[in-house]
Amino acid sequence: DVKVTQSSRYLVKRTGEKVFLECVQDMDHENMFWYRQDPGLGLRLIYFSYDVKMKEKGDIPEGYSVSREKKERFSLILESASTNQTSMYLCASRLGTEAFFGQGTRLTVV
Amino acid sequence: SQQGEEDPQALSIQEGENATMNCSYKTSINNLQWYRQNSGRGLVHLILIRSNEREKHSGRLRVTLDTSKKSSSLLITASRAADTASYFCATALISGAGSYQLTFGKGTKLSVIP
């Protein structure tokens, strides 16, 4: 079974903190994605990567950066967390036709 | 943004009825996929239809794609209470050296009443 693991299920951070959300997949997938999910807005693509050290901006990259130093790990970084980044963050990886999702990290910025 | 739009936003039906959800998108695509999300969980892939296909079936699922109208529909036949979930369409755009952008819509929340 494909496994996509997000490091935390729930996270509470303070405004201005640097926040790292980690995602690891165990199937040697090349493509990985970070989304945020908010009520009424669906899933919005933040960044995606198709290879080590390769990254592309999605629809809402502002306030975020990413790192892909190893194929299995794709990190989302909030350089200076703000309250409007409170959300559910979903990581996914893909090989072939379907994407596999982690369980999500619910981040609250206070 | 090529984020899709699902319609309706919410749908409530009786068990045994069919459920139809629609998705519209904005740009050209390589394929379109449908995913399901149970409350508070990650998404699970249901079915994929390529841009050169018009219809596809998988069990109780039927997907259609009209690239001229940039729209798709998902039909769930003989619905069950266990089908209660949110359903999302996702469009895939492949470009460059392996770049694969997967963009989701806002989702349809389906409630199937026993």
Side-chain angles (χ1 to χ4, degrees):
Chain A
D1 276 354
V2 175
K3 198 159 184 184
V4 180
T5 304
Q6 294 183 230
S7 52
S8 304
R9 192 76 198 269
Y10 300 94
L11 212 52
V12 179
K13 295 292 182 180
R14 293 192 181 280
T15 301
E17 274 193 79
K18 190 168 185 175
V19 181
F20 293 85
L21 302 183
E22 306 287 348
C23 176
V24 176
Q25 48 94 2
D26 65 357
M27 284 300 290
D28 204 33
H29 288 179
E30 294 179 347
N31 298 109
M32 296 188 75
F33 310 83
W34 273 107
Y35 299 88
R36 62 176 285 176
Q37 183 175 20
D38 301 287
L41 298 178
L43 277 75
R44 291 179 291 167
L45 181 62
I46 305 172
Y47 268 96
F48 61 107
S49 167
Y50 57 92
D51 204 348
V52 174
K53 296 193 189 295
M54 305 301 287
K55 60 186 179 185
E56 289 192 53
K57 293 180 181 179
D59 295 320
I60 52 163
E62 297 78 18
Y64 303 94
S65 63
V66 289
S67 171
R68 186 123 182 246
E69 296 297 317
K70 292 184 178 180
K71 199 172 189 180
E72 66 269 20
R73 186 180 296 269
F74 191 34
S75 303
L76 180 69
I77 303 156
L78 286 66
E79 297 290 343
S80 177
S82 64
T83 54
N84 63 12
Q85 291 178 311
T86 291
S87 186
M88 169 70 89
Y89 289 88
L90 292 166
C91 171
S93 73
R94 174 210 154 255
L95 181 68
T97 55
E98 69 179 272
F100 297 87
F101 279 81
Q103 290 302 298
T105 296
R106 187 165 292 282
L107 172 67
T108 303
V109 182
V110 298
Chain B
S1 168
Q2 64 166 5
Q3 188 180 33
E5 292 272 346
E6 281 93 338
D7 167 52
Q9 290 186 0
L11 180 61
S12 185
I13 59 173
Q14 296 288 330
E15 203 165 28
E17 292 180 342
N18 294 342
T20 300
M21 290 160 265
N22 302 296
C23 167
S24 60
Y25 56 93
K26 298 174 184 173
T27 65
S28 61
I29 62 171
N30 293 93
N31 65 65
L32 185 143
Q33 305 170 33
W34 285 88
Y35 286 77
R36 166 196 170 123
Q37 183 182 37
N38 287 84
S39 180
R41 314 291 282 182
L43 279 74
V44 175
H45 182 266
L46 293 175
I47 192 166
L48 175 149
I49 186 165
R50 292 189 165 79
S51 59
N52 60 354
E53 297 176 314
R54 291 296 165 258
E55 188 170 313
K56 204 153 183 190
H57 297 255
S58 176
R60 293 186 296 115
L61 304 179
R62 174 178 162 249
V63 172
T64 63
L65 179 64
D66 186 336
T67 52
S68 66
K69 294 181 180 176
K70 291 187 167 56
S71 67
S72 173
S73 68
L74 172 68
L75 169 67
I76 303 174
T77 59
S79 64
R80 305 165 182 167
D83 294 329
T84 294
S86 291
Y87 292 81
F88 294 86
C89 71
T91 55
L93 183 62
I94 302 169
S95 59
S99 175
Y100 189 103
Q101 182 170 0
L102 190 63
T103 307
F104 284 78
K106 297 182 180 180
T108 292
K109 192 166 186 177
L110 173 66
S111 298
V112 181
I113 303 162

